[in-house]
Amino acid sequence: MGTELLTPLDLAFWHLESDAHPMHLGALAVFSPVPDPAHRVGPEAVLELLGSRAAAIPRLRMRVRDVLLPVGGAAWFADKDFDVRRHIAWVRPTGAEPCDGGGGFMAGATRLAGELMERPLERGLPPWQMYVIGGAGDGAFAVLVKLHHALADGMRAVAIGAGIFDEIASATGRARNGTPARRARAVPPRSWMPGPRQVAGLARDRIEDLGRAFGVGASMVRASRLDLRGAPALTASSSGTRRLATADLDLGEIQRIRRVAGGTTNDVLLAVVAGALRRWMLERGESLPAEDPRALVPVSRRRPGQAAATGNKLSAYLLELPVSEPDAWNRLRTVRTAMDRNKSRGPFRGAGAVAVLADQLPSLAHRFGAPLAGNAARMLFDVLVTSVPLPRSALSLGGCPLRAVYPMAPLARGQSLAIALSAYGGRVQVGLVADGKALPDLERLASCADDEVAQLLALLPTC
């Protein structure tokens, strides 16, 4: 892989980072031990396997360097001094029994993962890190993966991270050895200079892009809120600490609700988030906010068959989470109606499409304007709620079955909570990342999600 300029959106994520607001995505993958005790693997073997597979992923050998042109720009370069041992480590949770592989291990693993998520990635190296957590005793362990948002959006992060699993690594190895399971399509090298036939098309696309960006900018101005009081639980000055909590929902139950209510599985999950926030705020003794909190719901702009090596391809929708609505079924109807309206306009319109606007700004604007843009995020939304698609097939690492994957999203400035969801193995795994000092009761919010699903199920017709 040669030199590749960071796209404007990638550059924005790169410059949005500060010590108190690291801009990396994360995932906590939990593995069950190999069923046969004679073939169980220890943490050292898992660490070696992770290192060998990560080193074979070209994208993970790239680091960011500034370039002269465009002014203020940066590019991906192959790290000539790449050493995978600088990116992987084994850590053991304290205060937990790692040999049981159950609740004690998960409590220690999530606590430790939250602390590890606090640490920004070293910018002079390829921006990623992996930690093996636990692994003693019967072999149960977790792997925390951290990837800088400039390196990948959620879908791309899944594609990169999947290379560590047995099933993906073996398939890739067969392809490299010449087995034509699926022949890759040859892609001609791109020229820096467009040909004569491309000039008119590029000009037309540029005019359309600028018009689209103007519309997004106008929508952002209309949607921005000058009164930043919002929901007290979701607004906090950053302490620089991170806390992680997890929840597991039954995907079958979510789909059962969807079949009755209509809409999509994601609509149901967004309604569950709204209901969980309402329950949690009331249990804390807080008054519900005068205005419902606003969620930023990312949506991919990737098209089927698009080259996987391109940078972030994101837009988003804005959604008022109906925490003021006391009826769970009405909350779901409200969410579905709002998301239908968002989808009818598409991902290139509305204030949520701030990433589309970022794509039109010059590199120098991102370099110097990122702190201002980061501080302004609070004017647009209160909480990030994102869904990350995972492979449907069963996965393993070193023969150890993957039990669950809890995705993690970065926190924006002035916000104390981000929620990410993924479906795997018949479950929906929820990863909640919070400012550790602002939300010390994050585990209760996670349990409120189960309560909300139970209430929706109880309201379903019995016939």
Side-chain angles (χ1 to χ4, degrees), residues 27-32 43 46-47 50 89-91 93 98 105-106 108-110 112-113 116 130-136 139-145 164 397 402-404 406:
L28 183 66
V30 182
F31 295 87
S32 299
V46 173
L47 206 62
L50 270 180
W90 174 37
V91 290
F105 169 76
M106 277 304 300
T110 53
L112 180 54
L116 294 171
M130 295 184 189
Y131 299 91
V132 178
I133 300 176
F141 64 95
V143 175
L144 174 65
V145 181
I164 71 172
L397 177 62
L402 176 65
R403 190 168 74 201
Y406 301 96

Side-chain angles (χ1 to χ4, degrees), residues 37-302:
H39 294 90
R40 287 179 181 168
V41 294
E44 294 86 355
V46 173
L47 206 62
E48 182 178 354
L49 185 61
L50 270 180
S52 63
R53 289 181 178 174
I57 300 172
R59 197 71 178 174
L60 297 183
R61 304 174 68 94
M62 307 291 285
R63 69 183 184 92
V64 175
R65 280 172 29 195
D66 291 342
V67 294
L68 294 176
L69 292 174
V71 176
W76 294 103
F77 289 83
D79 185 359
K80 296 180 181 179
D81 301 317
F82 177 78
D83 184 352
V84 74
R85 293 172 297 181
R86 303 175 73 175
H87 298 268
I88 58 174
W90 174 37
V91 290
R92 177 172 174 171
T94 57
E97 295 296 331
C99 59
D100 66 0
F105 169 76
M106 277 304 300
T110 53
R111 182 172 57 251
L112 180 54
E115 295 171 359
L116 294 171
M117 285 294 287
E118 294 176 9
R119 307 175 186 177
L121 296 163
E122 189 173 338
R123 293 173 76 87
L125 298 174
W128 64 274
Q129 197 78 32
M130 295 184 189
Y131 299 91
V132 178
I133 300 176
D138 71 351
F141 64 95
V143 175
L144 174 65
V145 181
K146 294 167 53 176
L147 296 174
H148 199 284
H149 212 332
L151 180 66
D153 55 26
M155 291 185 67
R156 182 63 180 142
V158 171
I160 292 174
I164 71 172
F165 293 109
D166 298 337
E167 295 76 10
I168 309 300
S170 61
T172 304
R174 286 195 298 271
R176 287 174 180 169
N177 291 332
T179 303
R182 186 177 69 178
R183 185 179 291 260
R185 184 177 60 183
V187 179
R190 284 193 302 177
S191 171
W192 287 87
M193 296 296 292
R197 295 183 179 180
Q198 295 176 281
V199 172
L202 289 172
R204 182 180 61 253
D205 291 344
R206 181 60 175 163
I207 292 172
E208 291 176 353
D209 289 343
L210 290 174
R212 186 181 295 133
F214 180 80
V216 172
S219 297
M220 288 178 59
V221 171
R222 291 193 296 268
S224 296
R225 298 172 299 189
L226 298 180
D227 182 356
L228 301 182
R229 286 175 294 177
L234 304 180
T235 307
S237 57
S238 176
S239 67
T241 62
R242 292 294 180 270
R243 190 177 186 90
L244 171 67
T246 62
D248 282 271
L249 309 177
D250 189 304
L251 181 58
E253 292 179 346
I254 298 295
Q255 291 175 338
R256 181 182 163 197
I257 296 168
R258 177 195 59 79
R259 285 193 292 269
V260 175
T264 68
T265 299
N266 200 47
D267 293 341
V268 178
L269 292 174
L270 289 168
V272 168
V273 168
L277 286 171
R278 175 186 169 85
R279 292 170 179 273
W280 176 65
M281 289 176 183
L282 292 176
E283 287 183 8
R284 293 176 117 221
E286 294 183 7
S287 298
L288 295 177
E291 294 185 6
D292 285 334
R294 187 182 287 169
L296 185 75
V297 183
V299 58
S300 177
R301 291 189 283 136
R302 295 186 183 277

